[in-house]
Amino acid sequence: MFPQIRPQDIADILIMTFLVYQLYSWFKNSKALQVVMGLMFLGVIYFVTKSLGLFMTSWILQELGTVLLVLLIVVFQAEIRQALYRLSLLRNLFEHQESTVRLDLLEFSATIFSLASQRTGALVVFQREELLDDLILHGVPMDSLVSGSLVASIFIPGAPLHDGAVLVKDGRVALASCHLPLSVSAEVPQHLGTRHRAALGLSERSDAAVVVVSEERGAVSLAVDGKLEAIHSQAQLHERLTSLLQPLSREAERVGITRRLFANFWPKVAIFCVVVASWFLITYRQGEILSVTAPVTFHNLPENLTLTRSYPDEIDLQLKTFSNLVGSPKNLDIVVDLDLAKVHEGTNTVQISKDQIKLPPGVVVVNLDRSLVRVTAEKKQPKASVRKR
């Protein structure tokens, strides 16, 4: 039977597609994604062995999965913390502040190409939306304005702070001589040195923009989103940094949203298909009919009446679940709660409607054995007053 699709199911699929794609885009160039793919493969083997009745193998895989999950949290705690930070919708309300300091990116671009012409290595990190405190190690505090002369003096060979990266945060030089995480991607070319691997490593783990000057080749590169882009001129560097660091107009933001929606189209389609297939697997039990006996309770009985008799005390229900994740209705507290507000003295017949049956989400009533409950009510006897002697 083809599962019934509700509006909640469509929202469920879209939300999971968004979350899975975000996790994929954040971890695609890291070892975490490879480990997760290995765990998914073990999960497939577990379900296959369990369905085939290989009890020992499925039990070992189940226990092994629990241990590996704990190890994942310990080993990749930095990546998990960064992912949770990216998912936080409130961070823009509390942390996003418009920088009052305007960077002179034209002077900075000229300084970078001046260093490149002298074959002087340089590594400059521009923090954007995401914090880099957990990714950057050591560093000497500076808190200085960004100027070409300052950047050039820091990276002079033999200078005390030339070894490492410079962090530009909120329009100011915050740290110098920083250590960045190196990229572990196997796709990084062998001829690239430590500076380029450090730039790629940070851009893989955050939204930072990192400018690199090669000491051996005198080439300028820009690392963003785990990709290294060759920069051939001052104008090109100025244009790229301006687009990355300065706020966009509303029209540009609309174009940016459209581009982001259709960027990496085929990975998004593949993830959407995987989520849809997972949804069908999870909801494959939909349509299964279960019989449950539910007690009958009452509320809103008029204050001048008392309930003396009701029949029946229990109702047999036929229920259907929408998902395999919903527990069996036999193990749930299901009650038929009837409203007695319109009951009068004597024998009454109360109609049972499906909205009077308290059900958990994901469970619906298919049928019930009777639609009427007979109740008998009598007037309350007034309490005899006690005369004082």
Side-chain angles (χ1 to χ4, degrees), residues 44-66:
V44 172
I45 296 178
Y46 166 73
F47 283 110
V48 171
T49 54
K50 187 176 181 180
S51 62
L52 294 177
L54 304 178
F55 300 113
M56 183 180 69
T57 305
S58 60
W59 178 82
I60 292 176
L61 289 175
Q62 181 179 359
E63 298 300 323
L64 182 62
T66 304

Side-chain angles (χ1 to χ4, degrees), residues 215 225 275 277 304 320 352:
E215 187 175 355
D225 295 331
V275 172
N304 64 332
K320 181 176 71 172
I352 301 176

Side-chain angles (χ1 to χ4, degrees), residues 78-375:
E79 286 83 356
I80 294 174
R81 185 166 55 249
Q82 191 73 7
L84 292 176
Y85 171 78
R86 292 183 178 189
L87 284 174
S88 175
L89 298 177
L90 298 178
R91 61 187 174 92
N92 290 332
L93 297 178
F94 296 102
E95 296 178 359
H96 181 70
Q97 298 178 351
E98 193 72 25
S99 176
T100 57
V101 180
R102 305 292 293 182
L103 289 172
D104 189 350
L105 295 176
L106 191 60
E107 180 188 4
F108 174 80
S109 303
T111 301
I112 288 298
F113 272 87
S114 175
L115 293 173
S117 64
Q118 301 170 15
R119 298 295 179 93
T120 300
L123 186 61
V124 182
V125 177
F126 290 92
Q127 177 176 299
R128 298 168 67 193
E129 293 292 333
E130 299 174 11
L131 298 179
L132 304 177
D133 299 344
D134 295 332
L135 299 175
I136 293 181
L137 302 177
H138 310 299
V140 178
M142 297 284 291
D143 193 19
S144 305
L145 292 174
V146 180
S147 64
S149 58
L150 177 61
V151 173
S153 63
I154 289 176
F155 291 108
I156 292 177
L161 303 178
H162 83 284
D163 188 16
V166 167
L167 172 63
V168 178
K169 176 181 178 181
D170 295 331
R172 300 178 67 87
V173 177
L175 296 172
S177 191
C178 304
H179 292 175
L180 310 182
L182 299 180
S183 174
V184 294
S185 175
E187 299 179 358
V188 178
Q190 294 294 328
H191 69 274
L192 296 181
T194 305
R195 285 192 181 90
H196 293 83
R197 290 185 177 274
L200 286 172
L202 184 63
S203 65
E204 290 169 356
R205 295 167 173 84
S206 68
D207 67 342
V210 188
V211 178
V212 192
V213 178
S214 173
E215 187 175 355
E216 292 79 12
R217 296 176 289 110
V220 179
S221 304
L222 178 65
V224 180
D225 295 331
K227 298 179 181 178
L228 197 65
E229 176 185 353
I231 304 296
H232 303 289
S233 65
Q234 299 180 23
Q236 183 184 2
L237 179 60
H238 177 263
E239 180 183 357
R240 291 289 289 122
L241 290 178
T242 301
S243 63
L244 291 170
L245 302 179
Q246 295 187 358
L248 300 175
S249 62
R250 292 184 178 180
E251 293 76 11
E253 286 182 353
R254 293 173 185 171
V255 175
I257 292 174
T258 305
R259 289 181 179 177
R260 279 185 290 177
L261 183 62
F262 291 98
N264 297 324
F265 180 74
W266 291 114
K268 291 178 181 177
V269 171
I271 291 174
F272 176 77
C273 294
V274 170
V275 172
V276 171
S278 302
W279 181 84
F280 275 103
L281 290 176
I282 292 173
T283 58
Y284 77 93
R285 202 180 66 179
Q286 185 182 124
E288 181 181 2
I289 306 298
L290 297 175
S291 298
V292 176
T293 300
V296 179
T297 61
F298 306 98
H299 68 279
N300 287 343
L301 181 67
E303 295 182 358
N304 64 332
L305 297 179
T306 179
L307 187 64
T308 60
R309 184 181 302 174
S310 65
Y311 179 82
D313 296 327
E314 295 179 336
I315 301 294
D316 292 332
L317 307 175
Q318 289 185 333
L319 306 177
K320 181 176 71 172
T321 58
F322 278 102
S323 172
N324 194 30
L325 297 178
V326 179
S328 174
K330 295 182 178 180
N331 302 325
L332 302 175
D333 295 331
I334 298 176
V335 177
V336 179
D337 192 23
L338 301 181
D339 188 358
L340 301 183
K342 298 181 179 181
V343 167
H344 53 79
E345 182 182 3
T347 302
N348 302 262
T349 301
V350 181
Q351 181 78 27
I352 301 176
S353 59
K354 293 182 180 180
D355 58 353
Q356 293 174 321
I357 304 175
K358 295 183 177 180
L359 297 172
V363 180
V364 295
V365 177
V366 178
N367 193 15
L368 52 158
D369 65 337
R370 60 175 63 240
S371 60
L372 299 175
V373 171
R374 184 175 299 172
V375 297

